[in-house]
Amino acid sequence: MLINAHLAGGPGRLREAIAAGEPFNPEVISEVEKHWGLTVRSGFGQTETTAAIANGPCQPLKSGSMGRPLPGVPVVLVDPMSGSLIDGVGEGEICLGLKGNHGRRPLNLMTGYQGDPSRDAAAMASGYYHTGDVGGTR
């Protein structure tokens, strides 16, 4: 919808632009920057976690990157086949690490799926909240 919108009128009172949900098309980012002079920053979160990863205003942007874990959010990558942590460069399931957070649930993580203990157990397997989404480091 944004790319089909008439952007020539400017951003109005917007000072920042953040994209979330799905990776933003590079052409859309370019058009917003060209017409509005705003940098579109990406991020990652879910209904269950709120924001977990983002490109903050002071961070340099990398094309295609959703940023770094937000403060207080213990994000880890887990190999979906072995269940082991991805250390260094690699790709795996984006998880919130309860283990790396002194066993405490991160503040931005839901308390559970209401009335569905089996879904809770599956989502929290091996001491991590499993998002089901894949990410990587480079």
Side-chain angles (χ1 to χ4, degrees):
M1 288 179 9
L2 187 57
I3 197 65
N4 292 324
H6 183 65
L7 300 178
R13 293 183 169 198
L14 288 179
R15 295 178 302 175
E16 299 285 338
I18 300 169
E22 294 292 328
F24 237 39
N25 183 318
E27 290 79 21
V28 174
I29 292 171
S30 176
E31 286 297 305
V32 169
E33 288 177 348
K34 176 177 140 187
H35 290 287
W36 292 357
L38 296 177
T39 300
V40 178
R41 299 182 176 279
S42 297
F44 171 82
Q46 298 182 311
T47 301
E48 295 90 342
T49 66
T50 70
I53 301 169
N55 282 296
C58 297
Q59 293 177 339
L61 296 178
K62 289 183 185 177
S63 180
S65 172
M66 60 183 146
R68 297 184 176 112
L70 292 171
V73 183
V75 175
V76 295
L77 294 177
V78 175
D79 183 311
M81 301 304 275
S82 69
S84 61
L85 291 178
I86 305 290
D87 200 15
V89 176
E91 190 173 279
E93 182 184 11
I94 300 169
C95 295
L96 272 62
L98 301 162
K99 290 179 178 179
N101 199 34
H102 308 289
R104 294 186 311 254
R105 183 180 297 268
L107 291 176
N108 69 324
L109 180 58
M110 66 170 181
T111 57
Y113 293 106
Q114 185 174 352
D116 199 342
S118 62
R119 189 171 178 198
D120 283 339
M124 301 297 178
S126 302
Y128 303 105
Y129 166 70
H130 295 266
T131 67
D133 292 307
V134 174
T137 58
R138 8 180 182 150

